[in-house]
Amino acid sequence: KTNTESEITARASSESRIYAVEEAELYLHPQKQREFYSNLKSISEDNNSQVILTTHSSHFVRMNDYKNLALVRKPSKEVGTTKNQCCADIFNPESEEKQHYKLIHYINPDNGDMFFARKVILVEGESEKVVLPYVAERLGIFKPDVSVIDCGSKFNLPLYINLMNHFEIPYLVIYDEDPMKDHYDDHEKEEHDRRTYNFNKEIESAIDKRYGNSNMLSPDFEGEFSISRNQADKLGKGLAALKHFQGISDNNIPKNLVDLLTRIYS
């Protein structure tokens, strides 16, 4: 190289900046964590700047920036440290805008802890989210490194499953069978129930057996564990389910629930 070329290269290198931040959440309230994230993102948008941060806070997990997330694990001393980063597009092109909205809306600091979990349990709603950890604690088998994630709806499960697959996070999907009735007087209700029941196939087809498995409850969570539907209608499913199990002794907890919890927290 000529002296001129060497000088140009040296000047270009000196303009590059790397910001490395370890445990970015330290001493910061959640609000300040969000503010700090925004500031770091603004810095990273400069072509001459790169930001690398490590965190144990779900406030730094943003689904609109999912391609910038990398999960660093050390499964064992023999395997050593591994890194998984999703650089692929994880949305269905036919419904990308809607899926993108759901992902950003539902993956918040509360359920963003699934990126730090040893195993993730994907459930349809609040009943499972409330009851499963509660009963597991009573049985003495609860483990804090297993995250139970309320996906908000049966129809949101494939979205979460897709996310687990891309980031290679171990998971178990728990969903209701929702079988069809023998007879219908209402055509719209029949079509709704048929769509709900047929959606089970979409859930199963979305699961990558390398990372996930499923457990179907029949006919649904309330029916599987004898929770009063009248109470569910009156109090709401989550509170009714919790009160149901608060009212029975440990010895009377159904065996099928004990078996499910053993599978979850194994």
Side-chain angles (χ1 to χ4, degrees):
K1 293 183 179 180
T2 65
N3 290 337
T4 303
E5 289 175 332
S6 298
E7 289 175 5
I8 292 174
T9 302
R11 281 198 296 270
S13 298
S14 66
E15 292 174 359
S16 299
R17 295 177 296 273
I18 297 178
Y19 299 85
V21 185
E22 185 176 8
E23 304 295 345
E25 68 275 10
L26 288 181
Y27 312 115
L28 295 178
H29 294 299
Q31 294 82 359
K32 288 299 181 182
Q33 292 181 39
R34 293 195 292 269
E35 180 181 348
F36 191 28
Y37 179 93
S38 297
N39 292 336
L40 291 174
K41 184 177 179 181
S42 296
I43 292 173
S44 70
E45 291 170 350
D46 181 341
N47 290 333
N48 292 319
S49 299
Q50 182 177 5
V51 176
I52 303 172
L53 69 89
T54 63
T55 183
H56 291 89
S57 170
S58 56
H59 287 279
F60 285 90
V61 176
R62 304 291 180 86
M63 282 298 95
N64 48 334
D65 297 323
Y66 70 88
K67 290 185 179 180
N68 294 328
L69 291 175
L71 302 187
V72 180
R73 307 180 179 96
K74 188 175 182 180
S76 66
K77 183 178 180 180
E78 293 73 25
V79 174
T81 302
T82 63
K83 184 199 73 159
N84 180 267
Q85 187 171 9
C86 175
C87 296
D89 293 325
I90 63 177
F91 301 115
N92 181 344
E94 296 179 359
S95 57
E96 180 174 358
E97 185 177 13
K98 186 175 181 180
Q99 286 189 316
H100 194 192
Y101 167 78
K102 283 185 175 181
L103 202 60
I104 293 172
H105 177 71
Y106 288 118
I107 309 297
N108 50 47
D110 179 49
N111 56 19
D113 68 359
M114 61 186 168
F115 289 96
F116 305 92
R118 174 176 60 84
K119 180 166 62 174
V120 172
I121 312 302
L122 301 176
V123 300
E124 291 188 24
E126 61 175 335
S127 298
E128 301 93 320
K129 167 77 172 179
V130 170
V131 166
L132 297 177
Y134 167 73
V135 179
E137 286 189 356
R138 284 180 52 179
L139 295 174
I141 61 175
F142 174 80
K143 291 185 175 66
D145 57 359
V146 176
S147 293
V148 179
I149 303 299
D150 176 359
C151 297
S153 165
K154 179 175 193 170
F155 297 101
N156 288 336
L157 287 171
L159 181 67
Y160 283 79
I161 293 170
N162 191 28
L163 195 62
M164 299 294 99
N165 291 339
H166 277 89
F167 280 96
E168 301 179 6
I169 300 173
Y171 63 92
L172 173 66
V173 186
I174 299 176
Y175 66 94
D176 297 340
E177 179 186 13
D178 296 318
M180 297 280 292
K181 297 178 181 177
D182 295 331
H183 175 73
Y184 287 89
D185 294 321
D186 186 330
H187 177 69
E188 290 187 3
K189 172 64 174 173
E190 181 179 4
E191 288 304 308
H192 173 272
D193 285 3
R194 178 175 289 107
R195 176 173 175 261
T196 302
Y197 177 68
N198 289 339
F199 198 75
N200 296 337
K201 297 177 183 177
E202 294 192 34
I203 293 172
E204 289 294 336
S205 64
I207 296 173
D208 187 329
K209 296 299 183 181
R210 292 176 296 175
Y211 315 116
N213 287 288
S214 65
N215 196 114
M216 185 174 69
L217 304 178
S218 182
D220 52 24
F221 185 80
E222 288 74 24
E224 178 89 18
F225 303 120
S226 304
I227 299 169
S228 169
R229 296 187 186 278
N230 290 333
Q231 286 294 94
D233 292 338
K234 180 180 178 181
L235 301 174
K237 289 184 176 181
L239 181 56
L242 180 61
K243 289 178 69 68
H244 172 78
F245 285 102
Q246 286 176 335
I248 63 178
S249 66
D250 293 352
N251 292 333
N252 289 324
I253 293 174
K255 183 180 183 303
N256 53 350
L257 179 55
V258 175
D259 292 342
L260 176 59
L261 290 170
T262 301
R263 183 181 183 190
I264 289 173
Y265 292 102
S266 62

